Amino acid sequence: MRRRVATGAGAILAVLLAGVAPVAAELKVSIGGYVKLDAAYQDQLNTAGKFRVHPDPSSVVFDEGPGRDPARAENDQFLLESRQSRFHITATDEIGQVKLKGFFQFDLFGGNDDESNSLVSSSHQPRIRHVYAQGEMPLGGTTLTLLVGQYWSTFMNSDIAPPDTIDFNGPSGQLFSRQPQGRVTVGVPFGRSTLNLIAAVQAQSVNFTTTDVSSPTAAGISAARQEGQNVPAFVAKVQWLSDLANAEIGGIWSQAKGIAPGGDRESASVWGVQASLNIPIGPLTVHLHGDRIDGLNREANGDFPDAVFTGDDVAPIRSTGGYAGVSYKLTPSATINAVYGIRQADDNGASGFGRGAEAEVRQETQQSIHVNLLHKFWQRFQWGVEYERQWVEAFRASEGSQNIYRVAFWYFF
């Protein structure tokens, strides 16, 4: 994406930043982003929201079994929106041998449909995606990088990503989460390859699901917004980046804490491991990813809850996910992408998750296929078409699927 140095407001911002920063060689402020128009035909009314063009697999309606929703399953819809459009400001500087960067990015997914006034004027509220500061400096024969702010979770494989999808949520089985964090990366060069050793401390939140046993938290306390959590998440990751392949393995650990109805705190250890691999073969690139998560499903796009509070115990919910995909460059400006993903949750006999009366509507498995063609033109424009199929299954007989057909246009600036 090409960027130009901002004038006007950008110049004013540069003066303000320079006024509070140490004397530096040069401060540069640039703007960038894109405008995107999404069009989608869906063969059922998913539960993601009235104007949501990008439903996640958890929004698929059951069309078979005890949990069947015939009204939604048997009706289709065509949607148009532009809320995925993004805007960012970047400030870069160098002080001695230290390279500095500040980044702020937002889109228009803030608020729900009613709060963003979409029924009246199609307006949408801004939402912060990324806001962070980064410093990079040489350290002997290595490189030390410090990042503080909100960015992709360190546990996520954002540097070794799946194929591009027009669908905002991407494939089932992925890791997808933004978290406030402090991250340190030590880069060790090996010829044309680099070994990255990464450690981070980031926010921990718990999305509890309830059973008939008890309430998960004290009234008015939202564990899903970090409230009541007393241990952050600790992440460690190793990356190998080379011309032949890019690979990484990572681990995460924390505590999932709940407040029992009597006011006592109860917690359980939660963890996750993941491995990801990209292999370029001429114009073809193969993408592979797999993970095992115990009580940290918010790291995996939040498709499953994190834990169940049962009696005096917090019971983490486990899930296994992964995807396999390919990208093929037809021309320098056109790419075909295809990816299959799956995530499956374990039932928990101790807590009742996946069992009992709610098992017929509680999702156990999500699967998806994305196939698309992306083509860039006029240097700054891109268009794409995509077919997506999603499947979901409950712990009992309920299951559902939907087909989505998308067309999208981007203008990058």
Side-chain angles (χ1 to χ4, degrees):
M1 179 188 308
R2 298 177 59 191
R3 302 172 183 167
R4 296 180 295 180
V5 176
T7 59
I12 296 174
L13 179 60
V15 171
L16 293 175
L17 292 174
V20 297
V23 177
E26 183 179 9
L27 177 66
K28 296 180 180 179
V29 179
S30 61
I31 63 172
Y34 59 75
V35 175
K36 183 185 180 187
L37 174 67
D38 280 297
Y41 169 76
Q42 304 169 353
D43 65 0
Q44 68 165 226
L45 303 183
N46 60 75
T47 60
K50 304 179 188 67
F51 286 83
R52 181 121 187 203
V53 170
H54 313 281
D56 57 79
S58 63
S59 69
V60 177
V61 174
F62 293 121
D63 50 35
E64 294 183 16
R68 183 172 181 265
D69 186 342
R72 287 185 174 272
E74 296 175 8
N75 283 277
D76 54 359
Q77 60 185 358
F78 177 80
L79 303 172
L80 282 166
E81 72 171 34
S82 291
R83 86 170 87 174
Q84 196 187 333
S85 301
R86 298 174 187 171
F87 178 83
H88 66 250
I89 300 174
T90 305
T92 59
D93 199 359
E94 289 191 27
I95 299 180
Q97 294 183 306
V98 181
K99 298 179 180 179
L100 302 175
K101 176 182 178 181
F103 186 79
F104 174 78
Q105 181 189 63
F106 65 87
D107 61 15
L108 301 176
F109 275 97
N112 60 34
D113 293 321
D114 295 330
E115 290 174 349
S116 56
N117 206 26
S118 62
L119 297 179
V120 178
S121 62
S122 297
S123 63
H124 298 289
Q125 298 176 1
R127 177 190 68 163
I128 295 176
R129 282 177 52 82
H130 301 294
V131 53
Y132 65 87
Q134 178 178 288
E136 179 184 321
M137 65 173 292
L139 189 64
T142 65
T143 301
L144 177 67
T145 303
L146 172 66
L147 182 148
V148 291
Q150 177 171 298
Y151 191 52
W152 296 122
S153 167
T154 305
F155 184 60
M156 177 180 166
N157 56 327
S158 57
D159 298 317
I160 304 176
D164 287 333
T165 62
I166 297 175
D167 169 29
F168 178 73
N169 283 283
S172 299
Q174 67 176 339
L175 298 175
F176 190 90
S177 175
R178 287 178 292 271
Q179 296 287 3
Q181 64 189 274
R183 179 191 304 189
V184 176
T185 302
V186 177
V188 183
F190 289 92
R192 298 175 62 180
S193 303
T194 301
L195 176 69
N196 288 329
L197 306 175
I198 307 170
V201 178
Q202 61 186 44
Q204 161 68 336
S205 57
V206 182
N207 180 16
F208 278 98
T209 187
T210 60
T211 67
D212 296 334
V213 179
S214 65
S215 173
T217 60
I221 294 178
S222 174
R225 296 217 288 250
Q226 303 184 54
E227 296 177 9
Q229 300 308 297
N230 57 358
V231 178
F234 299 93
V235 187
K237 187 161 67 174
V238 178
Q239 292 180 332
W240 178 263
L241 308 178
S242 70
D243 295 336
L244 298 178
N246 295 330
E248 72 175 28
I249 57 174
I252 184 171
W253 178 89
S254 187
Q255 289 274 319
K257 177 187 167 190
I259 301 176
D264 294 333
R265 71 178 188 183
E266 302 293 341
S267 62
S269 293
V270 292
W271 53 269
V273 292
Q274 68 97 349
S276 304
L277 178 67
N278 268 10
I279 306 174
I281 308 171
L284 181 73
T285 302
V286 178
H287 312 269
L288 300 171
H289 165 76
D291 62 65
R292 179 69 165 167
I293 296 175
D294 183 74
L296 285 165
N297 290 298
R298 292 180 72 87
E299 292 284 325
N301 210 27
D303 290 338
F304 292 104
D306 295 312
V308 179
F309 204 98
T310 170
D312 292 329
D313 297 317
V314 174
I317 296 171
R318 291 185 179 181
S319 73
T320 303
Y323 59 76
V326 294
S327 298
Y328 185 81
K329 188 171 283 296
L330 291 172
T331 70
S333 59
T335 306
I336 293 178
N337 304 284
V339 59
Y340 163 77
I342 181 172
R343 182 166 296 281
Q344 186 169 27
D346 296 349
D347 64 353
N348 190 319
S351 68
F353 180 76
R355 304 189 181 195
E358 294 185 359
E360 62 193 28
V361 295
R362 186 168 279 157
Q363 285 192 18
E364 176 186 21
T365 305
Q366 301 174 355
Q367 301 178 75
S368 70
I369 291 177
H370 295 72
V371 180
N372 66 54
L373 169 65
L374 301 175
H375 179 252
K376 296 181 180 180
F377 65 102
W378 296 347
Q379 294 186 340
R380 295 183 179 273
F381 270 85
Q382 178 177 278
W383 68 273
V385 293
E386 180 173 86
Y387 168 71
E388 177 182 355
R389 182 170 177 83
Q390 298 176 337
W391 302 268
V392 295
E393 298 177 10
F395 281 94
R396 289 187 176 176
S398 297
E399 60 183 45
S401 65
Q402 70 172 341
N403 298 292
I404 306 175
Y405 305 87
R406 290 189 173 85
V407 178
F409 291 88
W410 295 258
Y411 170 69
F412 297 92
F413 59 89

